[in-house]
């Protein structure tokens, strides 16, 4: 007689306790008894007995019955994880590994947990989540060769659609609905596409909830018209507060969890962000990927990454800042701080110099490639405007009370040829680095900007960007580079001026730059900002740090290729980056 799968899994979980190393043991307790419905957040909490020291780290992984483990949070001090099976029902095994980082003792255990389907009698269901603007649509299974999406619509509004997904024939389909206005009634239905037919289910109604009171506001100054209707969502990333998405009329249609500064939007309704915990140890400096409902999908911290770096013979990092995103090969690129005390280099005596490391992680959060500014840039070339820390926007540093803010990197993009474009704000340079799909030696291919490797064909008295943000090549044209020119060096040298939105034609072979767009945005941002090409060919710029009338706030503009503003909005907070999106499931 064959043993049931559920019993096998429970025995395996028990055996893992017996295999624990050392004297310490770890237990794992869910906040609610199994089973729970799909989409219900369950908090799994670890507890350790007989540890030799209180300095413990925990790692959380999960796997579906019969599958491989997927890491969610790498080793760090957090003892619990809130998680749910948002895709489909089934048996899942949540594993926690605890490690005493002083003694080296470790222990691993797991619990098997069942998430049951919300679909009853073959009928779809719409369920709320903890976010009043995000709902979970649960549809019955469909033939494996078919595909499904969800249509949803407010009365009199435009039909919105989730991305098409491959059907599952042996479990329900569960898809987040996002892009919803508060306190509004919607109708939703699932649509199944086969090779020859299209089936639409009956509509289900649901009503969204109210907004929290602490979201920033969005005021329209130039309304959107036909020429600016592309990418109708404006997503803003404030410093440490909730990211918020508005439609082009200024209505909130989504907000995310606070705490992490959102850096990038990923396809499918996923987001990357980083946490800078000022004055806290490296284990509190975090990068995190989360979904539309705010659930953590991937997370690691600077202490855990530094542990790996040390084993590789590299410098350790102080914390993460400004950039984390997915690149090709299911890899993750993150910017981290790295510091050294140098004598007689950027000062007469010993000086704490703060630089950057680009850290590349694989999907299991293992370090697989690094680039260190101390090994590849001239440390004698100090920050152009001699910036020092502590100031707003400085990465974490620990070796002295003040530090030279040498590079202050703020963006990394993988280029079409598999290398990396790195923005060093305080050097006034965009730098191309030899990554070569992970096989490169990290040498500098070129430096773009004043005193760099290119000449610029322009009669502008100061044509180059300075203290720039969000340099990025256009997705469809690797010879055109967008950049938000904060303009700090230009403004300082010319006794005034505004920030600019720039598009530059780059001839890499001949090292020549021709400005395609050099738009005075009518506002000056001494820090932050973003640049993006829209689907209609226009350009979006975020002027994210404008000091006026005793406040600091933000403006988002859409310009035509002729630099004509066709949309403009004001936000009553600092916005690190803004993104124009087609919907809450797309990158743009």
């Amino acid at each position: 007689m064959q043993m049931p799968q559920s019993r096998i899994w429970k025995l395996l979980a028990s055996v893992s306790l017996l295999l624990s190393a050392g004297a310490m043991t770890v237990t794992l307790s869910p906040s609610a008894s199994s089973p729970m419905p799909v989409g219900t957040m369950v908090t799994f909490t670890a507890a350790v007995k007989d540890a030799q020291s209180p300095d413990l780290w925990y790692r959380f992984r999960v796997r579906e019955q019969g599958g491989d483990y997927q890491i969610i949070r790498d080793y760090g001090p957090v003892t619990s994880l809130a998680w749910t099976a948002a895709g489909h029902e089934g048996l899942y095994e949540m594993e926690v590994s605890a490690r005493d980082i002083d003694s080296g003792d470790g222990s691993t255990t797991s619990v098997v947990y069942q998430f049951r389907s919300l679909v009853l009698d073959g009928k779809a269901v719409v369920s709320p989540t903890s976010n009043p603007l995000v709902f979970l649509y649960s549809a019955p299974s469909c033939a494996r060769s078919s595909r499904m999406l969800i249509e949803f619509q407010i009365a009199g509004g435009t039909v919105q659609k989730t991305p098409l997904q491959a059907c599952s024939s042996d479990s329900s389909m569960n898809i987040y609905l996002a892009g919803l206005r508060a306190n509004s009634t919607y109708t939703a239905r699932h649509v199944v596409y086969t090779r020859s037919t299209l089936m639409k289910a009956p509509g289900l109604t649901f009503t969204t909830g109210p907004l929290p009171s602490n979201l920033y506001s969005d005021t329209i100054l130039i309304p959107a018209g036909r020429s600016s209707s592309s990418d109708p969502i404006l997503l803003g990333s404030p410093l440490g507060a909730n990211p918020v998405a508005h439609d082009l009329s200024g209505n909130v249609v989504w907000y995310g969890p606070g705490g992490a500064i959102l850096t990038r939007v990923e396809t499918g309704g996923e987001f990357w962000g980083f946490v800078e915990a000022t004055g806290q140890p490296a284990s509190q400096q975090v990068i995190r990927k989360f979904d539309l409902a705010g659930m953590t999908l991937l997370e690691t911290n600077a202490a855990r990454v530094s542990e790996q770096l040390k084993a590789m013979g590299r410098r350790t990092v102080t914390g993460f800042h400004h950039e984390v995103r997915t690149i090709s090969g299911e890899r993750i690129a993150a910017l981290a701080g790295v510091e050294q005390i140098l004598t007689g280099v950027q000062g007469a005596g010993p000086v704490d110099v703060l630089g950057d490391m680009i850290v590349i992680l694989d999907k299991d959060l293992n370090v697989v490639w690094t680039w260190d500014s101390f090994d590849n840039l001239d440390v004698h070339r100090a920050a152009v405007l001699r910036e020092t820390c502590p100031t707003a926007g400085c990465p974490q540093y620990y070796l002295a009370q003040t530090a030279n803010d040498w590079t202050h990197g703020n963006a990394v993009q993988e280029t079409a040829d598999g290398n990396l474009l790195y923005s060093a704000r305080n050097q006034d340079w965009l730098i191309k680095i030899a990554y070569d799909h992970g096989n490169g030696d990290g040498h500098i291919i070129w430096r773009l900007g004043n005193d760099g490797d290119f000449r610029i064909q322009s009669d502008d008295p100061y044509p180059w960007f300075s203290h720039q943000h969000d340099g990025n090549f256009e997705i469809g044209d690797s010879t055109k580079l967008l950049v938000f020119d904060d303009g700090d060096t230009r403004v300082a040298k010319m006794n005034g001026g505004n920030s600019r939105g720039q598009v530059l034609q780059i001839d890499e072979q001949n090292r020549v730059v021709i400005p395609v767009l050099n738009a005075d945005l009518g506002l000056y941002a001494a820090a932050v900002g973003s640049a993006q090409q829209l689907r209609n060919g226009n350009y979006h710029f975020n002027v994210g740090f404008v000091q006026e009338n005793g406040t600091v706030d933000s403006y988002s503009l859409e310009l035509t290729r002729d630099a004509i503003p066709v949309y403009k909005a004001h936000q009553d907070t600092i916005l690190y980056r803004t993104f124009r999106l087609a919907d809450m499931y797309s990158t743009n």
Side-chain angles (χ1 to χ4, degrees):
M1 179 177 171
Q2 187 173 10
M3 185 181 294
Q5 283 280 354
S6 60
R7 189 178 174 192
I8 293 174
W9 276 51
K10 289 178 181 177
L11 286 173
L12 286 173
S14 300
V15 168
S16 67
L17 277 172
L18 298 176
L19 295 177
S20 299
M24 63 179 280
T25 58
V26 62
T27 58
L28 187 62
S29 303
S31 59
S33 298
S34 176
M36 292 296 289
V38 167
T40 302
M41 295 295 290
V42 178
T43 299
F44 296 86
T45 301
V48 169
K49 295 181 179 180
D50 301 321
Q52 296 181 35
S53 80
D55 205 355
L56 303 172
W57 278 4
Y58 304 85
R59 183 189 67 186
F60 290 87
R61 302 193 303 173
V62 70
R63 65 177 175 181
E64 192 178 357
Q65 182 178 10
D68 297 325
Y69 274 118
Q70 175 186 341
I71 192 167
I72 301 175
R73 181 184 293 133
D74 206 351
Y75 282 106
V78 181
T79 61
S80 63
L81 176 73
W83 189 82
T84 187
H88 56 84
E89 66 273 13
L91 285 173
Y92 292 82
E93 185 177 12
M94 179 65 70
E95 177 200 79
V96 65
S97 295
R99 203 176 83 205
D100 185 326
I101 63 173
D102 291 331
S103 70
D105 285 351
S107 177
T108 297
T109 191
S110 63
V111 295
V112 176
Y113 201 92
Q114 182 180 5
F115 288 93
R116 59 175 175 80
S117 174
L118 284 160
V119 176
L120 298 174
D121 300 324
K123 295 180 180 179
V125 178
V126 180
S127 306
T129 70
S130 58
N131 187 322
L133 301 191
V134 179
F135 283 72
L136 185 67
Y137 189 103
S138 301
S141 61
C142 46
R144 193 175 296 274
S145 59
S146 303
R147 296 187 297 169
M148 178 186 290
L149 59 75
I150 314 300
E151 295 181 345
F152 53 103
Q153 180 182 22
I154 195 172
T158 303
V159 174
Q160 301 181 66
K161 297 179 181 180
T162 65
L164 274 169
Q165 295 189 17
C167 281
S168 171
S169 61
D170 52 10
S171 66
S172 63
M173 301 282 290
N174 298 274
I175 301 171
Y176 284 130
L177 305 181
L180 309 170
R181 291 174 58 177
N183 298 314
S184 301
T185 299
Y186 283 79
T187 301
R189 61 170 49 86
H190 61 277
V191 182
V192 178
Y193 295 81
T194 67
R195 293 180 180 177
S196 58
T197 62
L198 180 153
M199 186 280 292
K200 287 192 175 186
L204 301 173
T205 60
F206 64 96
T207 301
T208 59
L211 296 174
S213 60
N214 61 341
L215 304 182
Y216 70 83
S217 66
D218 185 67
T219 303
I220 309 304
L221 302 178
I222 299 178
R226 287 187 177 181
S227 62
S228 59
S229 59
S230 175
D231 302 303
I233 290 177
L234 175 64
L235 172 60
S237 174
L239 301 180
N242 302 80
V244 182
H246 294 83
D247 64 23
L248 297 189
S249 296
N251 301 300
V252 175
V253 294
W254 179 80
Y255 67 91
I261 300 175
L262 189 151
T263 60
R264 296 293 171 184
V265 180
E266 302 283 328
T267 301
E270 298 177 353
F271 310 88
W272 274 110
F274 66 93
V275 177
E276 281 189 297
T278 304
Q280 298 301 309
S283 61
Q284 304 293 327
Q285 317 303 328
V286 169
I287 54 174
R288 178 182 298 141
K289 191 177 187 180
F290 56 94
D291 68 13
L292 285 162
M295 182 175 74
T296 296
L297 303 174
L298 273 175
E299 180 178 308
T300 191
N301 62 81
R304 171 58 178 150
V305 168
S306 287
E307 183 181 52
Q308 297 181 60
L309 292 170
K310 187 176 181 179
M312 297 166 70
R314 314 286 169 82
R315 293 183 183 91
T316 58
V317 295
T318 63
F320 299 105
H321 65 92
H322 287 87
E323 184 72 285
V324 55
R325 67 191 306 172
T326 302
I327 60 173
S328 64
E330 297 185 275
R331 291 183 168 186
I332 303 151
L335 269 174
V338 60
E339 62 179 329
Q340 289 197 89
I341 300 291
L342 301 178
T343 301
V345 175
Q346 293 187 22
V351 175
D352 189 9
V353 178
L354 185 58
D356 289 317
M357 182 182 287
I358 300 173
V359 180
I360 307 298
L361 307 167
D362 66 16
K363 64 183 180 64
D364 294 316
L365 302 176
N366 299 305
V367 177
V368 295
W369 193 89
T370 65
W371 181 89
D372 191 329
S373 60
F374 284 104
D375 296 333
N376 294 280
L377 292 176
D378 180 7
V379 76
H380 294 86
R381 188 182 195 266
V384 173
L385 295 181
R386 301 288 176 169
E387 286 91 346
T388 59
C389 302
T391 58
C394 278
Q396 292 293 307
Y397 62 100
Y398 299 102
L399 300 182
Q401 291 186 344
T402 61
N404 283 3
D405 194 9
W406 173 40
T407 52
H408 199 109
N410 57 36
V412 177
Q413 181 196 31
E414 187 176 20
T415 59
D417 58 3
N419 293 302
L420 298 176
L421 182 70
Y422 156 65
S423 173
R425 173 188 186 266
N426 287 357
Q427 295 289 305
D428 286 350
W429 279 343
L430 293 169
I431 301 171
K432 190 172 184 181
I433 296 167
Y435 173 65
D436 188 22
H437 306 284
N439 300 308
D441 62 6
H443 75 268
I444 291 176
I445 299 172
W446 48 249
R447 302 158 302 167
L448 183 69
N450 194 37
D451 297 328
D453 301 315
F454 289 74
R455 59 184 177 88
I456 189 166
Q457 296 181 356
S458 172
D459 57 7
D460 189 291
Y462 201 107
W464 286 113
F465 50 79
S466 60
H467 280 50
Q468 72 289 337
H469 279 72
D470 206 22
N472 63 98
F473 283 102
E474 291 187 4
I475 295 174
D477 187 346
S478 61
T479 69
K480 286 184 180 177
L481 189 148
L482 286 72
V483 61
F484 178 75
D485 171 30
D486 293 73
D488 294 20
T489 306
R490 169 174 49 86
V491 169
K493 289 187 174 182
M494 303 186 73
N495 297 314
N498 295 317
S499 298
R500 302 183 297 197
Q502 294 186 323
V503 181
L504 307 175
Q505 185 81 44
I506 309 295
D507 182 346
E508 293 190 58
Q509 182 175 357
N510 296 303
R511 299 294 196 259
V512 175
V513 173
I514 301 174
V516 175
L517 180 73
N518 187 29
D520 185 324
L521 299 176
L523 300 157
Y524 172 53
V528 304
S530 53
Q532 176 189 352
Q533 185 186 32
L534 304 180
R535 290 180 299 160
N536 62 6
N538 290 346
Y539 297 101
H540 162 73
F541 296 101
N542 167 45
V543 191
F545 189 98
V546 179
Q547 297 172 285
E548 56 183 2
N549 303 320
T551 64
V552 185
D553 44 21
S554 177
Y555 291 82
S556 296
L557 298 93
E558 179 180 346
L559 305 182
T560 67
R561 296 180 183 182
D562 299 321
I564 298 170
V566 292
Y567 179 77
K568 184 177 181 180
H570 167 261
Q571 297 85 30
D572 62 347
T573 191
I574 301 168
L575 291 181
Y576 171 55
R577 284 190 179 132
T578 58
F579 307 86
R580 285 281 297 275
L581 307 174
D583 50 51
M584 293 307 302
Y585 310 94
S586 305
T587 55
N588 70 342

